[in-house]
Amino acid sequence: MLYRWTTIYLILFALTAPIEQPLWPAYSRFWAEAFEPFYKACGALLGIEGGYYVLASDSTGFYLHLIVLAAEAALLLVWDKKNWSQQFQSYLQLGIAYYLGMQLGRYGLDKLLKQQFFLPEPNTLYQPLGYIEKDLAFWSVMGSSWTYSFWTGIVELLAALALFYRPSRALGALLAAGVMGQVLLINISFDINVKIYSAGLLWMALYLLWPRLKGLWVWSSGQALAVKQSLGPSFRKGQKRVLKTALLLLILLNIAWPYRHRQHWNDDLEPRPPLHGAYALEDGQQFYIHRRGYWIMQQGRRQKSYRLRYLPKEGLTLYDLQSDSLWARLYYRQTSDQLFLFGEWGGQEVSWRANTLMYRELPLLQPAKHWRVEDWRE
C-alpha cells in the first residue's frame, strides 16, 4: 500500500514540479499560475505574512504543494476501487524511471558541456571571498575546474542511460541514488535553492532501487539470483521498439534542445559579449562587464549592478536595477589593453581611461599542476 501511494505521489510530483523543460518552457509557468491563488490563500489562512506563495523552487508554495500532493495521492488510492494503480504499477514505475533519467541526462549534459558549473564571472573573481554567498562561492569554485565538471557529468549521463535500459535499470537507480544523495547534501550544505526538487529526485532513485535491494544484496554476497525482478512493464517486441524509440528521441531532444545554437562543446570557450571582462580606472576603481548584460561597479568591498544595453556605433546605456531609470549613456573605444569611455554618468559628463585586467590569468582559473608536494615549493 505504501509503495503504491509512493508511486502515485512521485508521478504527481514529476507532473507538477516547477522545473522548466526546454521543449515546453511554459510548462513550469502553467503550474505556477494555476496553483498561485490557492497557495496564497493558504498562506493568508495560516497567518504567514511576507511569504512567497507561488509555486517555485523552495518557495513556501512548494512546501505547501508537497502536502497537497500527499493528500491527493492518498485520496486517489482510497478511490481506486478497481485497483487501477496496481494494474498500471509497472507503467507508472517506468514513467518515473524515464523522468529521472531525463533529468539526470539534462544535468549531466549541462556539466559535460560546462554549462551548469560555468566559469566564474569577473565580478565574482575580484570580490573578497568573505562577501560571497555560500551558493555562489560553491558554484564559482566548481566552475573553475573543467575536469570536475566533465567527469561528474559523465557519471550522471551513465546513470541516465542505465535507467533507460531495462536490464541495467537497477544499476541506474543505484548510481542515481548516489548522485542525488550527494547533490541534496551539497544543496543543503551550501544553501542552494533546489533542495526540494533534488530531494524528490533522490526519492525517485530510492523508489526504483527498493524492489531490487534484496537482489543486489544477494549478488554482492556472491550468491546466485533466484528470481529476476522487473523494473518496468513488458511489451510486445515490435510495439516496444516503436514506443521506446519515440519516447527516447523525445527525451533526447528535450535534453539537447538548449544546445542547438552553441558553437563549442565547452562553455568556457563560448563567445562573450562585447567588453566582457574586468577593468581598472585611473583612480583605482574597478568595474566589470557580466555576460548576462550587467555593468558592475566596485564600491569598496561592495558592488553596484546596472542593467546594460548595447547601442549601435559602440554605445552603451545603463539602467538602475531598482527604478529601471536611465543612469548612464556611454560610448567607447577599445584597444588590446585599454578601454576609453566618454559620455554621461549619473548626470555628469565623464571621460575615462581603464586598463584591461587579465582575469583569466588569476590563480583560481589555472589548471591543476601540483602532482607532488614539492611542486608547491617551487
Side-chain angles (χ1 to χ4, degrees):
M1 181 68 73
L2 180 60
Y3 195 76
R4 288 168 60 195
W5 174 86
T6 304
T7 304
I8 298 172
Y9 182 89
L10 291 177
I11 287 291
L12 293 174
F13 181 88
L15 289 174
T16 60
I19 300 298
E20 183 176 293
Q21 301 297 334
L23 282 186
W24 45 93
Y27 172 84
S28 175
R29 188 170 63 252
F30 168 79
W31 289 114
E33 293 176 353
F35 287 118
E36 183 176 1
F38 172 72
Y39 292 126
K40 281 189 174 180
C42 288
L45 187 64
L46 293 172
I48 304 174
E49 296 182 0
Y52 191 51
Y53 302 110
V54 299
L55 190 60
S57 178
D58 288 359
S59 65
T60 306
F62 203 178
Y63 283 101
L64 291 171
H65 188 63
L66 298 183
I67 300 172
V68 172
L69 290 186
E72 287 179 352
L75 288 174
L76 288 172
L77 198 58
V78 170
W79 291 338
D80 187 16
K81 303 298 182 182
K82 295 184 178 181
N83 287 329
W84 290 107
S85 60
Q86 181 69 30
Q87 296 177 42
F88 289 97
Q89 175 81 20
S90 57
Y91 295 94
L92 297 175
Q93 191 179 64
L94 182 64
I96 293 170
Y98 273 30
Y99 180 84
L100 178 60
M102 179 176 69
Q103 296 308 102
L104 283 171
R106 285 183 60 194
Y107 294 131
L109 189 60
D110 276 350
K111 291 182 177 68
L112 189 67
L113 303 183
K114 210 161 184 300
Q115 176 70 15
Q116 186 177 31
F117 296 136
F118 45 81
L119 196 71
E121 284 294 310
N123 63 294
T124 303
L125 291 168
Y126 288 96
Q127 180 81 327
L129 180 62
Y131 286 80
I132 301 177
E133 298 288 344
K134 278 183 178 291
D135 57 343
L136 181 57
F138 172 81
W139 227 254
S140 299
V141 172
M142 294 299 103
S144 69
S145 172
W146 175 86
T147 306
Y148 179 85
S149 186
F150 178 86
W151 286 108
T152 51
I154 289 291
V155 172
E156 291 185 6
L157 285 172
L158 287 175
L161 291 173
L163 286 168
F164 294 142
Y165 187 50
R166 186 176 180 182
S168 62
R169 195 158 292 147
L171 175 61
L174 186 62
L175 282 174
V179 167
M180 293 314 305
Q182 183 197 29
V183 169
L184 178 60
L185 181 61
I186 288 171
N187 290 341
I188 293 173
S189 302
F190 291 91
D191 201 20
I192 300 171
N193 284 330
V194 280
K195 303 176 186 68
I196 297 178
Y197 190 65
S198 57
L201 294 183
L202 174 59
W203 194 358
M204 289 182 186
L206 295 174
Y207 163 85
L208 294 171
L209 191 60
W210 180 258
R212 284 292 183 92
L213 281 180
K214 184 177 180 180
L216 287 171
W217 174 257
V218 171
W219 171 78
S220 66
S221 61
Q223 303 176 41
L225 296 178
V227 180
K228 185 178 179 180
Q229 290 178 296
S230 172
L231 272 179
S234 297
F235 294 94
R236 294 177 182 176
K237 190 173 182 180
Q239 182 188 37
K240 175 182 178 180
R241 185 178 293 113
V242 172
L243 289 174
K244 187 170 184 176
T245 300
L247 187 56
L248 288 180
L249 284 175
L250 183 62
I251 289 174
L252 178 61
L253 189 60
N254 189 58
I255 292 172
W257 187 256
Y259 300 98
R260 63 194 184 280
H261 298 309
R262 297 193 70 79
Q263 301 180 27
H264 297 278
W265 288 95
N266 182 349
D267 184 71
D268 293 354
L269 305 177
E270 277 292 304
R272 278 8 183 204
L275 306 184
H276 176 266
Y279 303 90
L281 295 171
E282 293 178 301
D283 62 2
Q285 192 174 16
Q286 295 181 2
F287 66 90
Y288 319 102
I289 306 297
H290 195 285
R291 68 186 295 188
R292 302 299 181 193
Y294 295 97
W295 173 301
I296 302 167
M297 206 77 180
Q298 188 76 41
Q299 297 179 339
R301 294 189 180 274
R302 301 292 181 181
Q303 295 180 350
K304 170 74 173 177
S305 299
Y306 303 90
R307 186 160 47 84
L308 173 66
R309 288 182 179 173
Y310 293 92
L311 299 175
K313 299 182 180 180
E314 299 182 329
L316 306 170
T317 54
L318 278 64
Y319 294 84
D320 187 272
L321 290 181
Q322 295 181 344
S323 63
D324 202 33
S325 58
L326 180 65
W327 176 259
R329 184 185 295 270
L330 301 169
Y331 291 90
Y332 66 89
R333 180 172 59 86
Q334 189 175 27
T335 64
S336 59
D337 59 351
Q338 288 188 325
L339 177 66
F340 298 89
L341 296 155
F342 53 92
E344 184 178 334
W345 178 275
Q348 298 181 352
E349 292 293 325
V350 295
S351 180
W352 292 336
R353 182 176 65 179
N355 293 318
T356 303
L357 301 177
M358 302 302 173
Y359 74 94
R360 292 212 181 199
E361 297 179 5
L362 292 172
L364 180 64
L365 302 187
Q366 303 312 304
K369 57 184 178 182
H370 301 100
W371 296 98
R372 303 170 303 142
V373 68
E374 290 83 3
D375 296 335
W376 289 96
R377 302 170 185 169
E378 296 177 359

